[in-house]
Amino acid sequence: MKFTVAIDGPAAAGKGTISRAVAERFGFAHLDTGALYRAVGVKGGDPVEAANTLAPADLARDDLRSLEAGQAASKVAVIPEVRAALLEFQRKFAAQEGGAVLDGRDIGTVICPEAEVKLFVTASAEVRAHRRWLEVGGDEAKVLAEVRERDERDMNRADAPLKPAPDAVLIDTSEMSIDEAVARACAEITARLPA
Ligand code: DC
């Protein structure tokens, strides 16, 4: 069975947590597509070259979750040649037998416009910054500024900007627990699974 779940949304909205949980619940493979852009961003050198030669070791680096890696990812993600270099890998992943969950910014709009389930997971910038701050620590105001800067760049780039697909289901997690958000996502998937 091929069945694709596309989960998009801004930084720290809960996409990663929801994606991992639903992948486990339904036995689907999961791809965190942000990690691809983070790996390109931290690799250094020419980003197009880095995207074309991305290897498993690049994705295993332990500094991919840092604020700096997030910023670097958001900057290389505006380059159309970088996005093009990562497209085929993501589409193949989505089309694998047994079902796949991909989370990112453009999964429902560009990578998998035919996905069976499209979710757009969001939350207020303050709530997202607070969650990210609990993960990375440091100065919370700086984390909020970083979240806003990344939102701005991700939503306003010319190529594959962050936006919900017209048929995406919106899930605002600002006032939801993780369990509630996961339950919402699972209900949407269950409703669309083949009988
Ligand atoms: O989801 P994340 O925070 O790990 O993503 C890091 C950056 O990568 C994000 O700010 C923009 C970019 N990105 C993208 O442009 N398209 C995707 N599908 C995933 C991430």
Side-chain angles (χ1 to χ4, degrees), residues 8-9 11-12 15 32-35 37-38 65 69-70 73-74 77 83 90 103-107 111 132 150 154 157 160:
D8 291 305
K15 299 184 303 287
D32 164 12
T33 67
Y37 291 91
R38 285 170 182 265
R65 298 306 311 162
S74 175
R83 307 199 70 83
Q90 296 174 78
D103 75 88
R105 301 289 186 290
D106 63 340
I107 309 303
I111 305 294
R132 184 51 52 91
R150 213 136 66 83
D154 293 349
R157 65 179 177 229

Side-chain angles (χ1 to χ4, degrees), residues 98-163:
V101 183
L102 286 82
D103 75 88
R105 301 289 186 290
D106 63 340
I107 309 303
T109 51
V110 175
I111 305 294
C112 305
E114 309 298 329
E116 281 79 3
V117 181
K118 295 178 195 172
L119 305 178
F120 193 85
V121 179
T122 186
S124 73
E126 288 75 12
V127 166
R128 290 185 287 118
H130 186 68
R131 289 179 187 157
R132 184 51 52 91
W133 174 74
L134 291 174
E135 262 176 42
V136 298
D139 176 357
E140 192 169 347
K142 187 174 162 228
V143 178
L144 176 59
E146 191 270 350
V147 160
R148 289 213 163 106
E149 186 186 335
R150 213 136 66 83
D151 282 357
E152 181 71 18
R153 195 183 300 113
D154 293 349
M155 291 189 295
N156 293 307
R157 65 179 177 229
D159 192 16
L162 169 66
K163 64 173 178 199

